Amino acid sequence: MFATPAFAQAAGTGAAGSTFGLLFPMIMIFAIMYFLMIRPQQKKMKEHRAMVDALRRGDQVVTQGGIVAKVTKVQEDGMVEVEIAEGVKVKVVRHTITQVLNKTEAAAA
């Protein structure tokens, strides 16, 4: 009916091991999520930023809306003027460009 001192001491030492046992799986889950989800997404964002920063006049691009257009003017305020048809020019936000189809070559210096 009463607990002996030996049982009382054994119960106290098991608590430290269970704390590590609960903390370790959570750390492993975070590490797995980092390598499978967070890191690839950061890499994709970095590649998209480099693609958008390298836009030049004459590039053929696709916008998020699915419009295929030709870049006519790259502005410094985050806007790009694109020509979607003969004589039809539209300004779009630079980061809404999802893909560059045909890249123009840089002019020889």
Side-chain angles (χ1 to χ4, degrees):
M1 177 155 133
F2 294 107
T4 62
F7 288 133
Q9 290 176 354
T13 58
S18 66
T19 303
F20 178 73
L22 292 174
L23 190 60
F24 182 72
M26 292 183 72
I27 293 170
M28 289 304 298
I29 289 171
F30 179 76
I32 290 169
M33 286 186 64
Y34 175 77
F35 284 107
L36 292 179
M37 296 174 69
I38 298 170
R39 191 168 172 233
Q41 185 66 25
Q42 287 177 341
K43 183 179 177 184
K44 186 176 179 181
M45 286 174 47
K46 186 177 180 181
E47 290 171 356
H48 182 262
R49 188 176 307 121
M51 178 198 64
V52 168
D53 289 341
L55 281 176
R56 288 195 305 257
R57 202 177 112 222
D59 291 348
Q60 189 173 8
V61 297
V62 177
T63 65
Q64 282 182 350
I67 299 173
V68 177
K70 187 175 183 179
V71 177
T72 58
K73 187 181 198 181
V74 178
Q75 299 173 349
E76 295 299 320
D77 61 349
M79 301 292 284
V80 177
E81 188 175 288
V82 296
E83 185 175 28
I84 58 176
E86 190 74 27
V88 181
K89 294 182 180 179
V90 180
K91 285 185 180 180
V92 296
V93 177
R94 184 183 286 219
H95 290 285
T96 61
I97 294 174
T98 58
Q99 185 179 9
V100 176
L101 296 176
N102 292 333
K103 191 89 173 136
T104 58
E105 296 300 320

